[in-house]
Amino acid sequence: MSIPVLICDDSALARKQMARTLPKEWDVDITFANNGAEGIEAIRAGKGEVVFLDLNMPVMDGYEVLQTIQQEDLPALVIVVSGDIQIKAHERVKALGALDFIQKPVSADAISNILQEYGILTIALGDGVADSPMIEVDLLDACREVANVAMGRAADLLAKLLDVFVLLPIPNVNVLEVSELTMTLKATEEHSTVSALCQGFIGAGIAGEALLLFHDSSFKDMAKLMGLENPEDKNTEMEVMIDTGNVLIGAFLNGISEQLHMKFSQGHPVVLGRHCTVNDLIHDNSEKWSRTLAMEINYRIEDHDIQCDLLLLFTEDSLPTLNYKLGYLLD
């Protein structure tokens, strides 16, 4: 008899990759869920005896799914599959009853090893994996999943350096005209002031700029976490912003390059503005951006008043190469 397996992830690409990596000899009946709320309904309906669960999802995230499974004592063996690889994320999902944790992108060996370790695969040997529903993946969804994995790598590095837990959002990825980019940046709290730095990057056929918007209210708290004296000093603020940019931008680009199997060279960071409104920042630098693929991530640190926005802006000329590289992930 087939084992009901649920793959719960808001990314169509991630669902497709997960289904593809399940052992061929495993006799399963696969159900997909686009968010945690759909996942809970599937488990209640008996469609999730084994669950592969993402953490960052809309409507209901993975943590809330695990909490609901505990509260309702639902019959589900949950393996978390996430780009958030922070140690504290591992500890939290284990405390909520997850069997284990696999980092994205998933590999067939990692899945097989965990299934065998917990005795799930050996009791389920059958005639082979059942046909799963067809999954249509578009390029923006693929970009979003690539950004999700890269975001997790950057957050993990920042968390280790500062001994904190970084709260991760769902990445926002869109192809934008400069006017739409302006609207996106304006959405980062119109009345607050920010400081910003920019760092260019280039690879084979792909180029762009990473833009870090550091909310001014975050400087004092961030300087204390970094162990810096005189947190309100201008030089300390510069050090905080550049060090944060080096961590987040460098780790994010490394995360993308690993997935796309390419290398990026990074330019020197350039300060775009200090203690200015987002409107002023846009007005002074609008000529730098045209039509672009934008990846937007808002990083927040738990229990601290620290927030910064990272935007990766790829040039329009980069889109054909990106499409080509992402095409391998869609096969």
Side-chain angles (χ1 to χ4, degrees), residues 23 67 92 100 158 166 201 220 222 249 256 313 320 323 328:
Q67 288 170 348
R92 291 182 184 191
D100 217 320
L158 189 64
V166 181
F201 59 89
K220 189 174 182 180
M222 193 67 162
I249 295 171
I256 290 178
L313 308 174
N323 287 345
Y328 284 102

Side-chain angles (χ1 to χ4, degrees), residues 298-311:
N298 174 255
Y299 288 96
R300 292 182 297 125
I301 295 180
E302 187 177 61
D303 300 326
H304 294 275
D305 183 22
I306 297 173
Q307 184 174 182
C308 57
D309 297 284
L310 176 64
L311 289 98

Side-chain angles (χ1 to χ4, degrees), residues 162-219:
L162 302 179
D163 191 24
V164 296
F165 184 68
V166 181
L167 301 169
L168 297 180
I170 298 168
N172 184 25
V173 179
N174 284 294
V175 177
L176 302 170
E177 301 292 340
V178 66
S179 59
E180 295 171 310
L181 174 62
T182 299
M183 291 174 63
T184 300
L185 295 179
K186 283 182 179 177
T188 61
E189 296 187 33
E190 290 186 13
H191 302 294
S192 66
T193 56
V194 298
S195 297
L197 63 81
C198 182
Q199 189 168 12
F201 59 89
I202 188 168
I206 297 178
E209 293 180 321
L211 179 65
L212 184 73
L213 302 179
F214 204 91
H215 295 232
D216 286 342
S217 60
S218 305
F219 275 119

Side-chain angles (χ1 to χ4, degrees), residues 80-183:
V80 169
V81 184
S82 176
D84 185 355
I85 57 175
Q86 298 176 77
I87 295 298
K88 290 185 179 180
H90 289 218
E91 294 171 350
R92 291 182 184 191
V93 299
K94 285 291 192 70
L96 289 169
L99 277 184
D100 217 320
F101 187 107
I102 302 175
Q103 76 176 56
K104 292 181 174 180
V106 294
S107 71
D109 286 343
I111 295 295
S112 181
N113 289 341
I114 282 182
L115 293 176
Q116 292 183 54
E117 178 182 350
Y118 291 100
I120 300 171
L121 182 59
T122 55
I123 64 173
L125 290 177
D127 296 328
V129 65
D131 290 335
S132 59
M134 290 293 294
I135 305 175
E136 293 296 330
V137 184
D138 62 35
L139 289 169
L140 280 183
D141 180 272
C143 281
R144 196 172 295 112
E145 182 61 13
V146 167
N148 180 53
V149 172
M151 171 184 72
R153 304 284 176 85
D156 181 54
L157 181 56
L158 189 64
K160 288 176 178 175
L161 290 174
L162 302 179
D163 191 24
V164 296
F165 184 68
V166 181
L167 301 169
L168 297 180
I170 298 168
N172 184 25
V173 179
N174 284 294
V175 177
L176 302 170
E177 301 292 340
V178 66
S179 59
E180 295 171 310
L181 174 62
T182 299
M183 291 174 63

Side-chain angles (χ1 to χ4, degrees), residues 8-28:
C8 185
D9 199 304
D10 61 314
S11 165
L13 174 62
R15 296 193 299 273
K16 184 175 183 178
Q17 288 177 326
M18 187 68 240
R20 252 188 341 204
T21 57
L22 296 181
K24 301 302 181 186
E25 70 273 20
W26 199 19
D27 185 18
V28 296

